[in-house]
Amino acid sequence: MAHLPSFGSASSCPCGACGSPRLGVSRRQFLCSAAASAAVAPALGASGAALAQQAPRGAASGRPILIKGGCVLSLDRAIGDFEQADVLVEGTKISAVRANISAPDAEVIEAANTIVMPGFVDTHRHMWQGILRSVLPDGSLDDYRQLVQRTFGAKYTPDDVYVGDLFSALGAIDTGVTCVLDWSHIHNTPDHTDAAIKGLAESGVRAVFAYGNPQNETGRFWEMKGHKFPDDIARLRKQYFSSEDQLMTLYMAAPSAAPELILQSFKAARDVGARISIHVGVGQFGRSALLEKLHAEKALRADTTYIHCCTLNDTEWNLIRDTGGTISIAGYVEMLMGHGNPPVQKAIDTGIRPSLSVDVETSVPNDFFQQMRTVFSLQKNEVWARRLAGDKNPPKFLTVREVLEFGTIEGARANGLERKIGTLSPGKEADIILLRTDLINVMPLNNAVGAVVTSMGPQNVDTVLIGGKVMKRAGQLVGVDFARLTRLGNEARERLYSNANVPRSRV
Ligand SMILES: [Zn+2]
């Protein structure tokens, strides 16, 4: 698979400040400095309240939805960006992106004072841990394996998996992550698997379900009885994933184990046409030249996403590129827990555009603003350090636009969905977010891409559509019973701590 080239400074927007690529077509509008704030008229108040009164429940009526008058970042280079434009959604898909769309039958979402862009795409999150948020704020990777996987994971019930996945998925939608790969390694029994899929389906998120290994007290899952990994993926393909035309798709989450076990899982995946995701290059353990060994067995192909990649050798990096693989960087957790330096520059040097991921909510916030800022500041810090050290030919600095692409279209590519999502393009699925620009953390708007990457947070996520369905509106998740969620979360927490024999202190 070809990887997109980096935007060079030679093709940048003439304003010299916004980092926008020059697309060179007159109708395309760029969001430079004062022009953007002038064009986005303050038609509504500074809160989301005005939008709430007009909130359509998109999928309920079956009518088209017209997202009107927003500052549109399509992230599709053939379409460009608009200081003010409309997006028309018909059924599950985007049918038009341009200024002044007339659609008399449509329900209108007024988008003044918002940035309209594709939803974020996460390529690796262990969603069963949605009930273990912040459980390990100070821990290392070894602590994580011991507490989260071998203590809690070994004792998870199917109900715990269901609630964990549901919480993590709703949390993703709430922060504007419309597609997430659930790297699901909690399949102690097939009932655990069914429960994970149920939680994802109920949430309405666009999920990539990556089926992985079970957990036990020793970490040696292959010694366990009662699990069906990896062969149960054949049942999943038949029972849940027989169509490609659905919100959820199937991956294999290949284990961190001996090469023979990895190869076995690769074969089970490819036998049912599922793509693959695997953790590699993690700490000392990642220095085993694993990818060279897998390559010797002709196992590396374009259907695989490699997570972390912090301690891979140069040969392994070249193998990923030459076989067309994609990568997922979870920069925040990699710095926190000892995986190794997040390989942002290494990926760029190799010619691979990374996707981003949250990984574990046990230690990491669940939003993509954090992920984007982490890799952005890290890469720039490394380039500055090389300049300070006298490097006469340092790499180029990343731009905010490139980082926004990592969080959207590159994620779509790694999740095998680039033809469906990742940009606002007619014909693609309508996974769209509206980010408020009239809140005190970003107003007045001077540079749209800059505002999203440098200043925004989950509080700016006003509206979220997934497959044309309105999932969040005026800052509130639609159709979610919070009283029920609270009860489910508390019950699961109590049950899990008791089963795992962990003291139930919250402080
Ligand atoms: Zn992980």
Side-chain angles (χ1 to χ4, degrees):
M1 186 193 74
H3 294 283
L4 296 170
S6 166
F7 284 131
S9 56
S11 61
S12 292
C13 176
C15 86
C18 75
S20 300
R22 181 200 294 273
L23 296 181
V25 177
S26 59
R27 72 181 172 82
R28 291 171 197 143
Q29 306 292 308
F30 296 107
L31 297 153
C32 306
S33 63
S37 54
V40 181
L44 298 174
S47 78
L51 290 181
Q53 291 158 13
Q54 305 159 19
R57 299 287 292 275
S61 71
R63 288 166 60 193
I65 295 175
L66 183 62
I67 301 170
K68 195 154 188 54
C71 174
V72 177
L73 301 178
S74 76
L75 302 185
D76 179 332
R77 295 175 194 183
I79 292 173
D81 306 328
F82 302 81
E83 292 187 11
Q84 195 162 10
D86 307 335
V87 179
L88 183 62
V89 175
E90 294 185 272
T92 65
K93 293 197 166 79
I94 297 166
S95 59
V97 181
R98 62 173 187 272
N100 302 316
I101 296 174
S102 172
D105 295 341
E107 296 188 63
V108 174
I109 294 179
E110 292 291 350
N113 293 322
T114 72
I115 290 167
V116 181
M117 60 166 273
F120 297 111
V121 182
D122 187 337
T123 53
H124 150 239
R125 189 182 303 200
H126 305 290
M127 297 174 74
W128 58 271
Q129 297 164 12
I131 53 173
L132 290 173
R133 286 168 170 161
S134 317
V135 78
L136 195 67
D138 296 316
S140 67
L141 199 51
D142 283 344
D143 298 329
Y144 166 81
R145 290 191 185 109
Q146 192 53 46
L147 179 68
V148 177
Q149 295 185 299
R150 295 172 193 175
T151 303
F152 283 125
K155 297 296 182 186
Y156 253 61
T157 65
D159 282 347
D160 299 336
V161 178
Y162 159 72
V163 180
D165 264 74
L166 180 61
F167 273 41
S168 186
L170 290 174
I173 296 168
D174 191 47
T175 62
V177 174
T178 51
C179 176
V180 53
L181 183 143
D182 180 15
W183 213 102
S184 190
H185 53 345
I186 190 64
H187 302 296
N188 306 358
T189 70
D191 287 345
H192 289 68
T193 312
D194 295 336
I197 293 169
K198 181 181 162 198
L200 294 172
E202 186 177 316
S203 76
V205 79
R206 187 179 301 282
V208 177
F209 179 70
Y211 171 66
N213 57 268
Q215 298 293 336
N216 66 354
E217 287 88 349
T218 65
R220 296 189 297 276
F221 72 84
W222 49 92
E223 296 172 351
M224 288 174 68
K225 293 188 170 57
H227 75 83
K228 294 270 200 294
F229 180 81
D231 296 338
D232 205 31
I233 197 168
R235 172 182 72 92
L236 303 182
R237 172 60 85 198
K238 238 186 244 166
Q239 189 171 340
Y240 297 109
F241 301 97
S242 56
S243 165
E244 287 297 314
D245 186 23
Q246 60 182 39
L247 205 56
M248 279 202 277
T249 47
L250 181 65
Y251 262 54
M252 172 66 80
S256 297
E260 308 79 69
L261 287 170
I262 295 172
L263 290 168
Q264 195 187 340
S265 72
F266 276 31
K267 180 174 184 323
R270 288 169 177 156
D271 282 351
V272 298
R275 290 169 59 97
I276 296 164
S277 178
I278 183 170
H279 295 75
V280 296
V282 179
Q284 279 301 340
F285 183 75
R287 292 203 162 107
S288 62
L290 172 67
L291 295 190
E292 294 183 60
K293 293 171 192 162
L294 297 179
H295 182 61
E297 303 297 325
K298 300 186 169 46
L300 303 188
R301 299 183 197 163
D303 61 3
T304 302
T305 299
Y306 304 89
I307 303 163
H308 299 311
C309 306
C310 304
T311 54
L312 295 181
N313 66 39
D314 286 352
T315 304
E316 291 177 292
W317 272 102
N318 292 338
L319 284 171
I320 293 176
R321 181 197 56 215
D322 295 345
T323 56
T326 49
I327 72 163
S328 173
I329 292 179
Y332 189 83
V333 82
E334 287 155 10
M335 292 195 282
L336 213 61
M337 282 194 176
H339 296 59
N341 202 41
V344 185
Q345 189 58 49
K346 183 65 185 174
I348 295 166
D349 290 344
T350 309
I352 299 173
R353 312 297 286 174
S355 68
L356 307 179
S357 57
V358 163
D359 195 351
V360 286
E361 292 180 63
T362 55
S363 312
V364 178
N366 72 343
D367 68 272
F368 252 44
F369 303 100
Q370 180 81 41
Q371 294 303 327
M372 290 191 296
R373 286 197 270 276
T374 297
V375 298
F376 185 55
S377 58
L378 174 82
Q379 191 270 351
K380 295 193 79 159
N381 184 54
E382 288 184 358
V383 176
W384 283 121
R386 285 171 65 164
R387 287 177 168 219
L388 279 170
D391 188 338
K392 294 281 184 281
N393 190 27
K396 281 187 293 196
F397 289 114
L398 268 181
T399 65
V400 286
R401 181 173 291 271
E402 288 177 282
V403 172
L404 198 59
E405 290 181 343
F406 295 170
T408 52
I409 183 60
E410 295 306 336
R413 215 182 300 285
N415 280 353
L417 294 169
E418 72 271 24
R419 271 175 292 188
K420 274 192 170 182
I421 57 168
T423 57
L424 299 186
S425 314
K428 280 195 177 182
E429 294 279 308
D431 289 8
I432 303 171
I433 59 176
L434 274 63
L435 305 173
R436 294 216 69 86
T437 58
D438 56 359
L439 302 188
I440 196 62
N441 65 337
V442 291
M443 63 193 289
L445 181 64
N446 292 303
N447 177 318
V449 178
V452 176
V453 177
T454 67
S455 301
M456 284 192 175
Q459 70 268 39
N460 296 91
V461 181
D462 180 272
T463 297
V464 176
L465 281 77
I466 299 177
K469 186 172 181 186
V470 179
M471 308 301 294
K472 185 179 184 184
R473 195 76 182 92
Q476 300 295 322
L477 289 173
V478 171
V480 170
D481 180 349
F482 271 91
R484 173 177 174 263
L485 282 186
T486 304
R487 180 175 55 75
L488 285 176
N490 286 337
E491 284 173 1
R493 180 182 187 279
E494 294 303 308
R495 181 171 59 232
L496 178 58
Y497 274 66
S498 172
N499 288 343
N501 199 22
V502 174
R504 277 174 271 186
S505 168
R506 289 186 172 85
V507 291

